[in-house]
Amino acid sequence: MTPGNHATGRPGGFFWLWLLLTVIWFAANSSLATSSIVAGVLISAVLALVFVRHFPAWSDIRFSPARLFHFIRYTGVFFIEMVRANLNMLRYVYAPRIDIHPRIVRIKTRLKTPVGRLALANSIALTPGSLVVDLDGDTLTVHCLDMQTDNPEEAARLIAGPFEADLEKTFG
């Protein structure tokens, strides 16, 4: 444990993770009933405590207005990419003849933190038509259903590019 840390990791890490989980709870639950609020606050606190104690990467979450701005921006970019990928999947499903070019692409990310890399891997995996096969250090191996380029740098830019800049400014 580094100096200044407590048994639960950095207190700020716990607070910001708890706050994030609580906001997600309220957004997913869509209820302001007292029982829902209490359950959300308590469940979020327990989850944040477990994550910060047992997974050191979560204790490094830091907050600033700039990080919040980039997280909100990342969320918008993710939503747009999700809609775009779903529309592409519809095109494949309803096309009389499917013309796809599946590829395995290795992406070397510039994200430094495990949480940032995890967010990038999940963003790619949750986007229809792509699947993260492996995450090893700063390299992601991604299977793409339809990659129109054979250039590895261009493929990496097309896959990770929309997410990486804001994730870097959010998580490091």
Side-chain angles (χ1 to χ4, degrees):
M1 218 173 273
T2 60
N5 282 6
H6 301 286
T8 59
R10 288 189 2 206
F14 167 80
F15 176 76
W16 295 117
L17 182 57
W18 168 80
L19 186 62
L20 174 66
L21 292 173
T22 302
V23 168
I24 291 170
W25 173 273
F26 290 137
N29 201 0
S30 300
S31 172
L32 293 178
T34 305
S35 61
S36 177
I37 292 171
V38 170
V41 167
L42 292 176
I43 290 170
S44 298
V46 169
L47 286 174
L49 184 64
V50 168
F51 276 108
V52 170
R53 275 193 175 179
H54 297 289
F55 304 103
W58 292 103
S59 65
D60 291 333
I61 294 176
R62 295 180 310 276
F63 175 78
S64 72
R67 287 177 188 266
L68 178 62
F69 169 77
H70 287 287
F71 181 75
I72 292 169
R73 195 166 117 172
Y74 153 76
T75 303
V77 168
F78 176 73
F79 180 75
I80 289 167
E81 291 299 316
M82 177 74 78
V83 169
R84 185 178 296 154
N86 276 291
L87 291 174
N88 280 336
M89 290 281 95
L90 278 173
R91 186 173 50 98
Y92 298 135
V93 169
Y94 289 110
R97 185 171 104 58
I98 299 174
D99 183 28
I100 59 172
H101 304 91
R103 302 266 192 280
I104 296 286
V105 178
R106 286 190 177 65
I107 301 171
K108 185 169 174 65
T109 181
R110 61 183 186 260
L111 298 173
K112 303 291 182 231
T113 65
V115 174
R117 292 176 185 159
L118 176 65
L120 178 61
N122 283 334
S123 300
I124 293 169
L126 289 170
T127 306
S130 59
L131 175 69
V132 177
V133 179
D134 188 32
L135 172 57
D136 185 21
D138 62 353
T139 303
L140 288 84
T141 304
V142 179
H143 177 271
C144 299
L145 180 64
D146 189 15
M147 182 52 59
Q148 298 296 324
T149 182
D150 290 328
N151 181 331
E153 289 82 23
E154 177 69 9
R157 186 188 65 74
L158 289 171
I159 297 167
F163 310 115
E164 201 168 28
D166 287 314
L167 287 174
E168 184 176 29
K169 291 175 182 165
T170 302
F171 296 112

